């Protein structure tokens, strides 16, 4: 993304006809820079002024890509009571379109931590902990569509004196958009007065961006949707469409065939068509992966459980390429995965269904067909080592400094980094444990929270407190005790962290395109952008990435062919990239998240319990 610099000009906000010494100002801000309400000077220094005549925001995109930027409205000496952003159409249905949101902030006064080890959390080692100075304050995350009345959660003023109010803008480029330069007009209105008028230009290149270049899937729980929002059937479908538009697959428990039948239109891809109200990338494509009995919902492989698995597989097999029984969660010594592997081998009527489990041990030491490894256990050689033992290795969640983290009190650029990491290490799939965790109902949890108000949304019996963990989606409507903060939307709303995940997935697509045309230079750019990740990252170091805007621009310049890439070609490009990352170089010791002290426990038991305190339900 490139912002055209213009002469600084700040428009005055009309307030009883009095001009204030410090007027309001409007800036375009890159999407990967998260601004808190108090980050006035950062908005001014990092943003492009939009108050002067002739200001232009220019973005570059491939077909099928969504690019984003932010608009920061900085209040002067007077508060801004109400404000809005309006962007005209770019053209007809094949042209890019703008989707605008208000950024809602939540107060962060205490960090994610563990009671016994305050510097540690589920999202980082103590040495990788982000500084308080960058994380405390009013932090934005929930995104409210511009047409929705936000006053139930954001009463006036939208910007007290000398603070920032933010808008998020997605520019969605349909797959069929012709390559051209597209222009729209935009204006920011504050308290009835236009304070900025500018152009938005989208330069669309002819090359199609691969959809879902790297596979990400997240869990959600339908009972949460029903209890908090209501209209469960339609809300659930809206959730699937929203995640699909962000190139992410949803997974539910799928404990019996009725659940699979309920979601049949999602699994055959018809939910993601114009006929069903979907207007986004990957139209008509089914999910890439589905879990049968997520989080061990089927328990052991009894004859009834096997019959249920067979019925689910029969419904999904014609459409979803990768099915697995999610045998057990974070219990490496539990024999259930081995029992499922043996039971499925004895059932020739259940074809093409693997067995997976979350566990920190190497794949070669697991009975499961798919070892879903924690970030501290996944290394650049994990996939190769798994293949040598006839297995597969995936990754789940994330922790600094090896990968980015889901937690709210960390830089969301880490979630973008995960897309780069997945491409660089040729990671087949990345699983995030939850997306609608509004109820804090783990063992040791403290009960339902209003996510628009309460940042501490997760607690467990091991003394962990986490901010925003498992919470990528916000309830558009709230019933019951939180009804006063309901926005009246029968669906879920996105977050900045969801947008950061999408940007990383799209960046993986850019990496694949660039690898096809200029692999040596692409490998150099990727290595410079993420110099030390996974098992290359010393456990107590800071994250090695800082930002991706310039690297992204460099990758775009390397793409010269207009032809689309097939999924097989994308994966081949990632394998090539993985091999080019100097596999013979010595690695730093894989970092490990500290574990609660257990007296007189031998090292082998510690290894088996590595993730036992993480997010067990």
């Amino acid at each position: 993304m490139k912002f055209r610099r213009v002469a600084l000009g700040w428009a005055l906000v009309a307030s009883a006809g009095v001009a204030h010494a410090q007027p309001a100002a409007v800036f375009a801000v890159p999407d990967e820079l998260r601004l808190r309400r108090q980050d006035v000077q950062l908005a001014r220094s990092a943003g492009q002024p939009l108050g002067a005549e002739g200001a232009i925001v220019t973005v570059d995109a491939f077909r099928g890509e969504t690019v984003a930027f932010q608009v920061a409205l900085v209040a002067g000496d007077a508060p801004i009571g109400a404000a809005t952003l309006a962007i005209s159409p770019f053209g007809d249905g094949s042209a890019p379109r703008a989707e605008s949101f208000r950024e809602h902030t939540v107060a962060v006064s205490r960090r994610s931590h563990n009671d016994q080890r305050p510097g540690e959390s589920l999202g980082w080692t103590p040495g990788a902990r982000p500084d308080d100075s960058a994380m405390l304050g009013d932090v934005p995350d929930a995104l409210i569509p511009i047409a929705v009345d936000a006053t139930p959660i954001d009463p006036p003023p939208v910007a007290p004196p000398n603070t920032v109010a933010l808008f998020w803008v997605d520019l969605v480029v349909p797959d069929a958009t012709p390559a051209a330069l597209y222009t729209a007009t935009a204006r920011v209105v504050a308290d009835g007065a236009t304070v900025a008028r500018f152009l938005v230009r989208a330069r669309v290149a002819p090359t199609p961006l691969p959809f879902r270049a790297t596979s990400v899937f997240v869990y959600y729980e339908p009972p949460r949707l029903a209890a908090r929002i209501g209209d469960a059937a339609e809300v659930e479908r809206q959730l699937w469409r929203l995640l699909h538009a962000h190139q992410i697959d949803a997974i539910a428990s799928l404990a019996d065939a009725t659940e699979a039948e309920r979601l049949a239109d999602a699994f055959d891809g018809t939910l993601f068509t114009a006929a069903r109200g979907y207007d986004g990338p990957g139209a008509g494509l089914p999910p890439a992966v589905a879990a049968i009995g997520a989080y061990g919902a089927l328990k052991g492989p009894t004859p009834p459980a096997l019959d249920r698995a067979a019925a689910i597989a029969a419904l999904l097999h014609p459409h979803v390429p990768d099915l697995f029984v999610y045998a057990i969660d974070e219990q490496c010594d539990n024999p259930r995965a081995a029992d499922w592997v043996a039971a499925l081998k004895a059932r020739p009527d259940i074809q093409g269904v693997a067995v997976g489990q979350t566990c920190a041990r190497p794949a070669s030491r697991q009975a499961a067909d798919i070892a879903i490894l924690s970030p501290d256990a996944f290394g650049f050689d994990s996939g190769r080592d798994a293949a040598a033992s006839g297995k597969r290795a995936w990754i789940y969640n994330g922790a600094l400094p090896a990968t980015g983290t889901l937690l709210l009190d960390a830089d969301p650029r880490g979630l973008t980094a995960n897309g780069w990491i997945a491409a660089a290490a040729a990671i087949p799939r990345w699983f995030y444990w939850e997306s609608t965790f509004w109820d804090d109902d783990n063992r040791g949890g403290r009960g339902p929270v209003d996510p628009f108000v309460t940042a501490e949304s997760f607690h467990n019996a091991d003394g962990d407190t986490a901010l925003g963990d498992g919470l990528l989606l916000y309830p558009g409507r709230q019933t019951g005790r939180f009804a006063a903060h309901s926005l009246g939307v029968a669906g879920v709303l996105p977050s900045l962290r969801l947008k950061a995940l999408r940007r990383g997935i799209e960046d993986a697509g850019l990496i694949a395109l660039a690898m096809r045309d200029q692999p040596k230079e692409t490998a150099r750019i990727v290595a410079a952008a993420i110099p030390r990740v996974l098992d290359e990252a010393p456990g107590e170091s800071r994250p090695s990435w800082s930002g991706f805007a310039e690297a992204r621009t460099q990758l775009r310049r390397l793409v010269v062919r207009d032809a689309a890439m097939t999924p097989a070609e994308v994966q081949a490009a990632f394998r090539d990239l993985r091999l080019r990352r100097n596999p013979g170089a010595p690695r730093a010791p894989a970092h490990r998240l500290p574990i609660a002290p257990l007296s007189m426990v031998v090292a082998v038991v510690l290894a088996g319990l590595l993730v036992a305190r993480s997010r067990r339900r």
Side-chain angles (χ1 to χ4, degrees), residues 240-302:
W240 277 78
R241 288 192 293 263
L242 179 66
L243 290 178
H244 192 80
H246 288 76
Q247 307 198 29
I248 294 171
D249 288 330
I251 64 166
S253 61
L254 293 189
D256 58 54
T258 60
E259 293 188 65
E261 291 167 351
R262 186 185 76 238
L263 295 167
D265 55 353
F267 290 123
D268 67 17
T270 57
L271 181 62
F272 314 118
T273 60
R276 298 298 304 276
Y278 180 76
D279 185 14
L285 293 179
V289 60
I292 299 174
Y295 283 101
L298 291 183
K299 302 188 184 303
T302 61

Side-chain angles (χ1 to χ4, degrees), residues 57-68:
V57 175
T58 302
V59 299
D60 293 295
F62 287 112
R63 293 164 50 207
E65 184 178 5
T66 298
V67 292

Side-chain angles (χ1 to χ4, degrees), residues 70-204:
Q70 299 174 89
V71 175
L73 174 59
V74 179
D77 294 336
I80 298 173
T84 192
L85 169 68
I87 302 178
S88 71
F90 284 88
D92 59 21
S94 63
R97 69 176 186 276
E99 297 178 354
S100 303
F101 304 84
R102 303 176 191 275
E103 298 186 17
H104 170 75
T105 64
V106 63
V108 174
S109 58
R110 190 171 72 146
R111 302 293 303 284
S112 299
H113 65 277
N114 180 270
D115 288 344
Q116 284 72 47
R117 298 167 301 282
E120 173 200 327
S121 84
L122 294 173
W124 52 74
T125 62
R129 182 179 184 269
D131 292 335
D132 286 351
S133 60
M135 296 300 147
L136 297 177
D138 292 334
V139 177
D141 193 51
L143 297 176
I144 316 303
I146 204 74
V148 173
D149 179 10
T151 54
I153 61 171
D154 278 327
V158 297
N162 301 303
T163 64
V164 181
L166 287 149
F167 300 96
W168 180 278
V169 180
D170 274 344
L171 295 183
V172 182
V173 180
D175 296 331
T177 300
L181 177 65
Y182 297 85
T183 303
T185 59
R187 67 189 185 112
V188 178
V189 177
D191 291 335
T194 298
V195 294
R197 196 186 305 270
F198 57 97
L199 298 179
V200 181
R201 287 183 177 164
R203 292 188 296 226
V204 177

Side-chain angles (χ1 to χ4, degrees), residues 412-420 499-501 503-504 507 548 552:
R413 280 179 288 198
L415 295 175
T416 299
N418 287 354
W420 292 69
K499 303 296 184 183
L501 274 175
R503 185 62 262 174
D507 284 351
F548 300 96
R552 191 176 299 124

Side-chain angles (χ1 to χ4, degrees), residues 305-373:
L306 285 163
D307 289 342
R308 289 198 296 274
I312 295 168
L315 290 168
L316 270 55
H317 252 317
H319 312 292
V320 181
D322 212 348
L323 297 180
F324 72 100
V325 172
Y326 192 154
I328 194 71
D329 179 58
E330 297 184 341
Q331 297 182 45
C332 295
D333 292 319
N334 193 299
R336 193 182 294 174
D339 293 344
W340 270 101
V341 169
L344 290 178
K345 287 180 179 178
R347 286 285 298 260
D349 59 319
I350 307 177
Q351 296 294 317
V353 177
V355 176
Q357 67 174 353
T358 51
C359 170
R361 291 176 182 165
S364 60
R365 294 176 52 204
Q366 295 191 37
D369 305 306
I370 302 171
I372 310 177
L373 303 175

